Structure formats: structure tokens, C-alpha cells
Amino acid sequence: INTQSKGTIALPIKYGVGFGFQKGERWLVLADYIVQQWGDYRENNISKGFNNSHTVALGTQYIPNPEGGYLKRINYRLGLRYTQTMLVLNSNQVAEQVLT
């Protein structure tokens, strides 16, 4: 391993925006949008051919009865996320889909 190598790396900027909405004590809905400018990534002024990544995420939480017994106070959550990653394989941008 050569620990004396010198060079420069230009890391991408990441932007995001999100919002949430709560209805009473039972419902909560959240959304996020994130973009990271991987197209600007450089190692020693050389582009690595990455694309910008984009992520959309949605989530919700439901509490049946916040004042009830233990089973009625459990938080039930559901989340969805879709990401177009920075990677391109066979001329296609790799996508990631997640359900939680």
C-alpha cells in the first residue's frame, strides 16, 4: 500500500427537502426528496461517469389509541423509498426500491 500518494477528490453536494403532517395523536405522514450530484464527482480532475442520484421516501405512522392499553398504543409504521442510484450498468441507471 502506497500511503504517500497525493491527489484530489471532489465530493458531490447533497440537497434534500422534507415535510410532515400530523393529524391528532394517531396519524403521522412524512415525505422526503433528496438529490446528490454524483455527476460532479471527480478523482484527480477525472470524472468517474456517475449520474446524479435521486431519492423519494414516504412514511406513515398510526397509533390505534394513544390513551389505551399497551396493544392499542403500539406504533404501526410503513415506509416506501425509491432511489435512482449514481451507478450505471449496461447504459441503465441502477434503481433501488425499499418497503419497510
Side-chain angles (χ1 to χ4, degrees), residues 33-89:
Y33 175 74
I34 300 166
V35 63
Q36 193 161 10
Q37 295 178 325
W38 283 100
D40 295 340
Y41 179 83
R42 302 281 185 276
E43 289 181 25
N44 297 320
N45 270 344
I46 299 170
S47 172
K48 294 300 179 179
F50 295 142
N51 283 355
N52 293 341
S53 66
H54 302 270
T55 299
V56 176
L58 301 170
T60 188
Q61 172 181 286
Y62 175 71
I63 304 171
N65 183 353
E67 305 296 324
Y70 174 74
L71 291 177
K72 293 183 179 182
R73 287 183 289 145
I74 292 175
N75 296 326
Y76 295 93
R77 297 177 179 162
L78 176 66
L80 303 168
R81 184 178 73 225
Y82 176 82
T83 301
Q84 276 189 319
T85 69
M86 64 188 182
L87 301 174
V88 177
L89 297 174

